[in-house]
Amino acid sequence: MTYTGHRVDSAWLEPDEHADLDLLVNGRSVRVQVPARCTLADALRERGLTGTRLGCEQGSCGACTILLDGLPVRSCLTLAVQAEGCELETAEQAPPSRELGALRRAFHEHRALQCGFCTSGFLMLAAGLLRDEPDAGAARVREVLSANLCRCTGGVPILRAVLAAQRELNGGHA
Amino acid sequence: MTHGYIGAGVERDDRHFLDGTAQYVADVSREGQLHARIVRSPVAHARIVAIDVAEALAQPGVVTVITAADLPDVRIPIRLPMAETPDTHKFLQPPLARGVVRYVGEPVAVVVAADPYLAEDAAELVDLDLDELDVVTDITSAASTGTPLVQPEAGTNLVATVPLTFGDVDAAFARADIVLRDRLRVHRHTAVPMETRGLLAEVDQGTGVLTLWGAAKVKHFTRQALSGMLGIDPERIRVVENHVGGGFGVRGEPYPEDYLIAFLALRLGRPVKWIEDRAEHFVATNHAREQEHDFEVAATADGRLLAFRDRAWCDQGAYVRSQGILPALLPAQHLPGPYRWEAFALEVHGVLTHRTPVGTYRGPGMTEATFVRERMLNRLAHELRLDPAELRRRNLIEPAQLPWNFAPTPITYESGDFPAGLDRLLDHAGYAELRRQRDERRARGEHVGIGLAAYTEIGGIGPFEEATIVPRPDGGFVAHVGVGSLGQGVETVLAQIAADKLGVAMQDITIDHHDTDQLAHGFGSFASRATTLAGNALALAAEDLRSRAADKLGVPSADVELGGGRATAPSGRSVPLSDLGEGWGRFDKPHPSFSFGAVLSLVSIDAGTGQVRVLRHLVLHDVGRAVNPVLLRRQLTGAAAQGIGAALLEELLYDEYGQPLSTLLSDYRIPTVEELPDIEVIVEERPTPANPLGIKGGGESGMVGTPAAIANAVADALGPASGARVWRLPLTPGRVRELLRST
Amino acid sequence: MKPPPFAYRRPSSVQEALTLAAQAGEDAKFIAGGQSLMPLLALRMSRPSHLIDINRLPGLDELRQSGAGLRVGALVRHATLERDARLTGPWRALREAAALIGHHPIRLRGTFGGSAAHADPSAELPVVAVAMDATFVVRSTAGEREIPASDFFAGPLMTVLDPAELLVEARFPAPPPRTRSAFEEFGPRAGDFAFASTAVTLSTRDDGTVQQARIALGGVDAVPVRAYEAEQALEGEPLTDATVREAAGRAAAGCAPSGDAHASATYRRQLIATLVERALSRLKEER
Ligand SMILES: Cc1cc2nc3c(=O)[nH]c(=O)nc-3n(C[C@H](O)[C@H](O)[C@H](O)COP(=O)(O)OP(=O)(O)OC[C@H]3O[C@@H](n4cnc5c(N)ncnc54)[C@H](O)[C@@H]3O)c2cc1C
Ligand code: FES
Ligand code: FES
């Protein structure tokens, strides 16, 4: 049985039911049909938005980080039904936000990736940070980046890339 | 004409990673696919009394549930002849436990359902009736009499003993002025790539061909192993590689799941997908490294190393997996290291315990052996009142002594300049000044230490690789190789070699490593071999193509120009490339090569919490020849970061019942950017004569000396009394705090 | 690692949430930031029949400071506490603690109420609530009750809340004049749950002697505990290296941590000595 998402405001979405949700992803409407327990990460991935990666599904790795109303969240720790009516941004965003565009360039130039599995999550984490706190100092950036795990690069190249993107966004001086 | 790509820091195309479109196996979907969930043993050792699948089968969306009773009695085979003994077949793992479970996480049943949520629901309802048995978890006593047998049919928990001797050890010890002996222990830890494993299998109903996505690293062997176990022709199996979220040795070996998912796709006639979850990963994917050594070193009063003896016990876990006895063999081959020993005698035992099976993780065996030897050398330096760098310098094999052979052992060093390497590392670090600063900070009451380690690393393991280069109608070339890409950028490096050797632009080269259909043989990516083996095979294939053109044109092959879809002679005469057929090359490498490296680490300890901070970390490695210095540096950096994690944080803990205690990323602590320094990499290039390109490899090198150097630095920071008690890893804050207390 | 099935609903008033909770029975759960509950669901360590999403309840996300003290709504996110520049002096420990919870994205979602109700023995905010003598205000269809923080925590991941009771806010009483506070913790990596932690608040008299000391410890027992003997060692005394060390020593000696594979009991006790000393030294220096 299926019903539309907003009904969860007035009736139970039962365990065996699916909600018909309209998610706003990268400025486009994406319809998903999911049970209450479906995570936002799984809902996006099922619709082919597989740039949101799953490395642990319990909040520890950050590979699934996306922006929800502009702020970085772990999409494995959010239910798809909770995201209705929110603005979502993922690694696939095209055209990219200012921050994402600058970060993509910087990640490429500073060789901030190897296997690339953590990259989407780091890009979104950093995009959220640079939008919300454009003047974050290097120590703050480093602290925020410790939220996500990368097994390939040793981390510092990613930090360097984010700081470079920040410089670009702030007009070359930050 | 070459474009000079070899040696250039050519950039890799990483767009797909930056816009989220790169496809890892979890991102591949096939029409009508089903999802598998593995039911795993919750206990370390038990007799399986009964498995009741009725309730699981009755769940919504469930298609089938299988147990060992549904499978033929097959075993996962060993991949490398060098890792097999006449006895190892007795210890191999069945894809599903047969009668007995032997480690927490051992596959017992598989549930297949319409989606992963439903599969997990049903898997919880598979009812296991288990009769628990005693467990073996201690490696040093595992092979003693009276210990429960992990595999009673084999009659022993001793998988193999690797003995190596060189020279007259007793005579050398008899001449010693000083002998030091201690136990040293390396803990269980492993690679933990950010992408877990995953597989998708589909059978083409028309052709009957089985396609498997998700197996990387050794895809030709995976195909061969599956062919044997499933009883189908290798030609009817295609193993396709996707993007891979890190391999580091553990991913892509044939595991029980590779067989199970392929078996299910064949049986059900529908695509079956399995994505390992992180908790499974920590019990199902190979563990590594756990071993204990009883090491004894003999030297003269003026700091000449004479000889060592070592007895070691290496954990193999509950079964021998596809890497056979490598967990015992590789430490043995790396214990001597880069020094001029007069003699040594070592005996390394591989033993079974009731824990997850052990395979190789980046820098296998060498990392452990380096820790053991280099810790003892530091103790020796202290006893002899010698600077640790000086002790090493006095004993490194000199370039004039190369090639060096510890005959009759297979350990041979072909080329390099070890003392120059060490000096360069010390120079780069500013060793004298660093020591002054350390002493100054110590005088202020801080705990600061410097640690050094030198090592050798095996690389370029054979037996061989093949490559073909096929001209494309559009004027470009496709090069097929049998090694895999595990996120290292090997495809870029191989394209550089192929382009230079053909004398064409890199854009004209496509490296195809994705598909077993395209090349008959291939041994895969492990042991820093991909560039050496496949690179040289490609160079030969390019030469083959050029000489075919030369024959047709009647000119020496050096004079042929390739391009624009034609091969052209200086005279202007040309033939279309499509007339040439394909270039083929095979590079045989009967003996592995060893390369040299050294690491220096500067650490501080917070005396209140025991926390170690790595302030500087320098890694030097002789890679022979750096085809792409940029990618290589990144590899070295990443490996060193993993080594820092191994030295300070990461540990796969078990309790005395064989229950794993680190099964989440929150308790298996891989370092974040807050725990990592800006790693300094020094690439030495001393080409080896052992292959035409001169490559020695470097994919693992940052790892090998890192735990040893950090342990030596921590010991230095602790001071002599406590420092001498640094005998095990990891140096977690709690352990270091404990050592501080004993000062 | 997929959550087990449950029913879901998103009420829009506190009253409605309470009614739903009362109807849905024992196995229903509220979900706030989801930063603790979702991992438990993924591991199937929690199997609620119903999830009641409280994120859209109005009025619970306010942080109000007045002469009577500080009120922290149950839906105040950790990041809000971390960034509120008003949280200085007596309230500083709250801000310092919030900044140390997990990681940035966790703090953007996780809530004060969730942290209190989840009752992880290593969590930061419960330790601060105990040190600051906070009172938790909880509501159900049966009415409202106030529970002192020191009575609220019943064990690891256990509180005295009934399943149908909603924590609506925490009230922190106004401290005596010249009160300052600090928070210290140690975990093995950035963002890890701490092995041990301490929240300290100190009020001093004109002459610099300590009028009132509150020292709470985390990670050393099933619930946050007060270090009474350490507090007594300070009260009536000036803050000196000697009194600081004495108090730190007593805090360590007086707690009875249990060890696990990641941190032994002895180690946790050593950490308490270090952390209490560091918090007090900071307060001493800043005077
Ligand atoms: C990677 C990671 C690291 C973390 N590190 C830390 C850390 O270092 N320190 C730390 O303290 N926490 C840490 N957390 C947990 C985080 O702080 C959580 O935000 C917090 O513990 C729970 O808040 P929440 O709003 O997310 O609650 P939820 O997860 O939504 O709920 C948690 C529990 O509280 C109940 N609940 C929630 N709100 C109410 C209410 N108003 N009334 C009654 N019951 C309620 C729920 O029913 C549930 O049982 C970490 C989490 C992650 C994923
Ligand atoms: S997958 Fe969400 S944090 Fe790891
Ligand atoms: S690039 Fe591989 S995990 Fe970060």
Side-chain angles (χ1 to χ4, degrees), chain B residues 254-283:
Chain B
Y255 280 91
E257 293 86 358
D258 295 62
Y259 170 81
L260 293 170
I261 301 308
F263 173 87
L264 284 162
L266 282 164
R267 167 179 272 207
L268 298 170
R270 285 177 67 180
V272 178
K273 186 167 178 176
W274 168 73
I275 303 299
E276 183 181 57
D277 75 28
R278 188 54 76 180
E280 281 184 286
H281 180 85
F282 277 113
V283 293

Side-chain angles (χ1 to χ4, degrees), chain A residues 58-61 74 77, chain B residues 666, chain C residues 28-40 46 51 54-55 60 74-75 77-78 100-103 106-107 109-120 122-126 161 163 165-168 185 191-194:
Chain A
Q58 45 95 232
S60 294
C61 75
R74 316 276 222 220
L77 298 187
Chain B
S666 42
Chain C
K29 270 197 173 297
F30 297 111
I31 180 165
Q35 303 300 293
S36 292
L37 186 54
M38 287 294 288
L40 287 181
S46 172
L51 273 195
I54 61 172
N55 281 286
L60 295 191
L75 285 180
R77 313 276 163 182
H78 308 326
L100 290 169
I101 299 174
H103 301 280
I106 312 295
R107 298 195 291 268
R109 296 287 290 170
T111 64
F112 187 94
S115 182
H118 184 62
D120 190 300
S122 300
E124 288 81 358
L125 296 177
L161 282 179
E165 273 183 321
L166 181 72
L167 174 59
V168 290
E185 71 170 33
D192 274 341
F193 271 102

Side-chain angles (χ1 to χ4, degrees), chain C residues 63-269:
Chain C
L63 183 65
R64 275 170 299 172
Q65 203 185 343
S66 70
L70 186 72
R71 292 171 163 221
V72 181
L75 285 180
V76 168
R77 313 276 163 182
H78 308 326
T80 308
L81 293 174
E82 178 187 0
R83 294 173 187 191
D84 195 315
R86 292 173 301 174
L87 300 181
T88 57
W91 311 123
R92 183 179 64 176
L94 197 52
R95 190 176 176 191
E96 288 181 351
L100 290 169
I101 299 174
H103 301 280
H104 179 57
I106 312 295
R107 298 195 291 268
L108 285 167
R109 296 287 290 170
T111 64
F112 187 94
S115 182
H118 184 62
D120 190 300
S122 300
E124 288 81 358
L125 296 177
V127 180
V128 181
V130 166
M132 293 185 179
D133 287 326
T135 299
F136 294 138
V137 182
V138 309
R139 251 184 248 165
S140 68
T141 47
E144 184 171 294
R145 58 177 182 138
E146 292 186 13
I147 309 166
S150 49
D151 295 339
F152 183 81
F153 302 102
L157 309 192
M158 283 186 287
T159 68
V160 298
L161 282 179
D162 282 338
E165 273 183 321
L166 181 72
L167 174 59
V168 290
E169 79 175 8
R171 294 187 186 147
F172 292 78
R178 281 185 306 278
T179 298
R180 289 160 300 128
S181 70
F183 187 87
E184 289 282 340
E185 71 170 33
F186 179 74
R189 279 181 314 182
D192 274 341
F193 271 102
F195 287 154
S197 64
T198 185
V200 178
T201 84
L202 280 187
S203 322
T204 42
R205 297 195 186 87
D206 285 344
D207 64 0
T209 56
V210 174
Q211 181 190 349
Q212 179 187 296
R214 291 281 181 276
I215 301 176
L217 310 177
V220 293
D221 212 325
V223 297
V225 291
R226 285 266 297 276
Y228 294 108
E229 283 159 36
E231 293 171 2
Q232 281 156 18
L234 291 170
E235 284 174 357
E237 302 290 327
L239 276 181
T240 63
D241 285 348
T243 53
V244 164
R245 236 184 342 244
E246 172 66 19
R250 286 203 195 182
C255 67
S258 55
D260 61 25
H262 300 281
S264 69
T266 314
Y267 179 49
R268 283 180 203 262
R269 192 178 276 124

